Amino acid sequence: METTQVSRSESKVFHKVWGPDEFVGSRVAAYKRENTLFTGILIAFEIFLWVIYGVWLTYGTDPANPQASALGVNLYYPYFRDVSIMIFFGFGFLMTFLRKYAYSALGYTFLFSCLAIQWALPLRGFFEMVAEGEFHHHYRVDVLGLLDALFCAGAVMITYGGILGRSTPLQMLVITIIEPILFFLNLMIGKKLGAFDVGGGMYIHLYGAYFGLAIAFFLTYKSTKDHSANGATYMSDQLAMAGTFFLWIMWPSFNAAIAPQGDPQLRAIINTFLSLVGSVLATFLASRLTSEFKFEMVHVQNASLAGGVVMGVMAHCDITILGAMASGFIVGTVSVLGYVYLTPKLTRMGLQDTCGIHNLHGMPGFIGSIGAVFASVLAVNHPERYGEEEYAELFPAGEHQPARQAACVFAVLAIALAGGTITGFIVKYLDRYATGMLYFEDTQFWVMPHAGDHGGDPFAHEHDEEQADSLSPYTPAIALTDLGDDKSKRMSVDIVDDVRVSL
């Protein structure tokens, strides 16, 4: 394939092929503005964080009692390691199912999780001081604080799953700056209410899912529905299953990490693991019954994890072993049914959920949150199931615990939907900087490996048939016109400073 460099001054060619000069110019200008805004905001935000870290954050050490630090490390670091694997490896590879979007799934998980962690630490300190009503000259960072920062990053990654393939780096940057603020607001409200959420069923899964779904509504377009690149290949599904396996194996650590030591932590591990086992069995059964007597890989990748989500709030409670396993089975079934029936209906209604976060995190998180209300009722009516000190620690609101749990559920939902809607308006405005965006493709923002005669684009052979579907709603309609007498000539344009036309 012969490649010709064409400058923008050769307007006659572009008038004939792409329409008015202002169209090509607007695409190039949009990419430049997106790049300028992304790098500018990120640099400014990093400088802002550096200043805060330099003047306010310090090590959570105590020279007078060095054994306290050793105890904290020994207690929390194994969980910290497992949760880190879940956030970076688990979430990252779970989202590689899109056949042309693996770089973005892995790369953006890496980038924006790290940014969320950086931002989460000072936010955690700020909201803790607001709750206490006093300011400290230094905020001490320990392993437990790092765990909370990872949990915050997990909420952001759940949100990312809902808009996977349809957002620019600039839009994800804005989301990552806004979402952690409301995450810690939820935590503060929950503590004020005396509600418990040992594994983030409310604060991470429920919040991240509905915050993301509210944003997804604003980033759903006719051109992204039934998009040919919004799908998997045999290999991409295998990569996604690697993420599923790591999440599945590590999930008991996720739910037990901050549970009180002793019996509550043991129950958190047992309940979570058996709930996960139940959700796997339900997933395979429900998938076979709803997918023309075959197993559907997207169900296995996601619904099999629903058992971990449903235990998020109440993992440390005495809900009986059978109750844990039955909970996992129920939400595994609900999750599969969501993928089969609910997701297509929501897409037709204008709410496209790329990864199905409503099925994996939203509905199981809500069911688990309501389940925690009933677990509180059981504890209030039968306090003998717990030791006296244990009961006081696990249910700080006493007989008011069920009502406080219910109030917290709906407070989290309200903050998620309101915050997601406001953020959705912002990212919708920023979508004007995505003119000509190729949805669900890495080629938009990543340097791709060399692929023979395709100019470094390994997907070039598929672009012609997908180009019309891939353009953003801000892209004017164009008619491809021949440049010569040979009617078999096809054209592709790579938007760079000097636009390259391949004939």
Side-chain angles (χ1 to χ4, degrees):
M1 179 179 289
E2 179 184 351
T3 301
T4 306
Q5 294 290 330
V6 181
S7 68
R8 225 175 261 110
S9 63
E10 297 175 274
S11 58
K12 291 183 180 180
V13 175
F14 287 107
H15 274 295
K16 195 171 185 180
V17 180
W18 293 100
D21 286 334
E22 56 266 23
F23 166 59
V24 175
S26 67
R27 291 185 69 184
V28 176
Y31 279 103
K32 285 185 175 181
R33 287 195 299 270
E34 198 278 343
N35 177 68
T36 300
L37 284 170
F38 172 77
T39 53
I41 293 173
L42 184 55
I43 290 171
F45 194 62
E46 278 295 290
I47 293 172
F48 167 72
L49 290 176
W50 286 14
V51 172
I52 293 178
Y53 272 66
V55 301
W56 192 44
L57 270 65
T58 187
Y59 297 112
T61 56
D62 184 0
N65 185 18
Q67 292 303 316
S69 297
L71 182 63
V73 170
N74 292 334
L75 177 62
Y76 291 115
Y77 184 76
Y79 293 112
F80 169 81
R81 177 194 57 218
D82 291 352
V83 174
S84 295
I85 292 172
M86 290 181 69
I87 299 301
F88 292 102
F89 193 107
F91 278 112
F93 274 88
L94 182 62
M95 292 189 282
T96 59
F97 70 96
L98 289 176
R99 56 196 176 93
K100 298 183 179 183
Y101 210 67
Y103 278 20
S104 299
L106 297 171
Y108 296 157
T109 296
F110 203 6
L111 169 62
F112 294 113
S113 291
C114 287
L115 182 62
I117 289 167
Q118 276 191 323
W119 184 211
L121 289 173
L123 282 174
R124 182 178 188 263
F126 172 78
F127 279 100
E128 280 186 1
M129 287 190 297
V130 170
E132 295 171 1
E134 58 178 314
F135 178 79
H136 303 288
H137 293 292
H138 294 286
Y139 178 68
R140 299 184 179 276
V141 178
D142 54 15
V143 181
L144 188 58
L146 297 180
L147 264 171
D148 273 350
L150 282 171
F151 291 146
C152 176
V156 175
M157 289 303 101
I158 291 169
T159 293
Y160 178 43
I163 57 175
L164 189 71
R166 313 194 319 271
S167 57
T168 66
L170 174 61
Q171 290 168 326
M172 274 306 302
L173 175 60
V174 171
I175 291 168
T176 308
I177 292 173
I178 297 174
E179 188 169 2
I181 300 172
L182 301 180
F183 174 86
F184 284 101
L185 176 62
N186 276 327
L187 283 180
M188 185 183 73
I189 292 173
K191 289 180 181 178
K192 288 285 188 180
L193 289 172
F196 60 81
D197 185 8
V198 70
M202 288 187 293
Y203 304 138
I204 301 173
H205 301 289
L206 193 67
Y207 168 68
Y210 288 101
F211 188 93
L213 288 170
I215 296 174
F217 174 78
F218 292 90
L219 296 181
T220 299
Y221 304 113
K222 184 177 180 180
S223 57
T224 62
K225 298 178 183 179
D226 299 317
H227 193 286
S228 56
N230 182 18
T233 64
Y234 194 70
M235 181 57 69
S236 68
D237 267 338
Q238 292 179 63
L239 286 175
M241 274 304 297
T244 298
F245 284 135
F246 270 88
L247 287 169
W248 196 92
I249 292 168
M250 301 293 181
W251 215 297
S253 290
F254 194 92
N255 285 352
I258 61 172
Q261 297 178 61
D263 291 346
Q265 202 164 51
L266 175 63
R267 285 194 296 266
I269 293 171
I270 294 173
N271 286 342
T272 303
F273 184 73
L274 293 180
S275 181
L276 285 163
V277 169
S279 64
V280 169
L281 293 170
T283 296
F284 278 88
L285 281 171
S287 183
R288 187 75 185 268
L289 291 172
T290 57
S291 304
E292 298 180 352
F293 313 112
K294 295 182 179 181
F295 300 115
E296 172 61 63
M297 185 54 77
V298 69
H299 302 160
V300 177
Q301 290 164 355
N302 295 278
S304 59
L305 301 171
V309 177
V310 75
M311 283 294 112
V313 182
M314 57 180 175
H316 62 320
C317 295
D318 183 353
I319 57 173
T320 74
I321 288 179
L322 176 60
M325 191 177 296
S327 297
F329 194 93
I330 291 169
V331 295
T333 304
V334 169
S335 183
V336 171
L337 295 177
Y339 278 103
V340 174
Y341 300 109
L342 186 57
T343 297
K345 185 174 182 179
L346 289 175
T347 301
R348 290 192 297 269
M349 294 171 60
L351 177 56
Q352 186 174 10
D353 178 6
T354 307
C355 289
I357 60 173
H358 189 228
N359 308 314
L360 172 54
H361 302 280
M363 291 190 294
F366 181 75
I367 292 171
S369 299
I370 298 302
V373 175
F374 288 101
S376 300
V377 172
L378 181 64
V380 169
N381 291 327
H382 299 281
E384 69 276 3
R385 299 171 74 95
Y386 304 88
E388 186 175 342
E389 293 184 2
E390 182 186 15
Y391 178 86
E393 183 178 16
L394 299 186
F395 307 100
E399 62 181 10
H400 302 293
Q401 194 68 47
R404 300 291 180 85
Q405 290 296 135
C408 192
V409 173
F410 292 102
V412 169
L413 277 173
I415 291 173
L417 292 172
T421 299
I422 294 171
T423 308
F425 275 112
I426 297 172
V427 298
K428 174 76 170 181
Y429 175 83
L430 295 176
D431 212 22
R432 66 187 57 208
Y433 302 121
T435 303
M437 180 175 174
L438 297 174
Y439 293 115
F440 308 107
E441 292 198 23
D442 285 330
T443 52
Q444 191 76 20
F445 295 104
W446 292 86
V447 176
M448 303 303 294
H450 179 67
D453 293 330
H454 295 309
D457 181 1
F459 310 130
H461 64 285
E462 299 185 21
H463 280 348
D464 288 335
E465 61 181 336
E466 296 178 2
Q467 192 168 21
D469 294 333
S470 303
L471 297 177
S472 86
Y474 288 96
T475 304
I478 1 172
L480 296 182
T481 311
D482 243 307
L483 283 181
D485 295 328
D486 186 353
K487 299 299 181 183
S488 65
K489 290 183 179 179
R490 304 293 299 276
M491 296 161 297
S492 65
V493 172
D494 187 11
I495 302 301
V496 289
D497 285 342
D498 284 324
V499 181
R500 181 176 64 226
V501 176
S502 301
L503 303 177

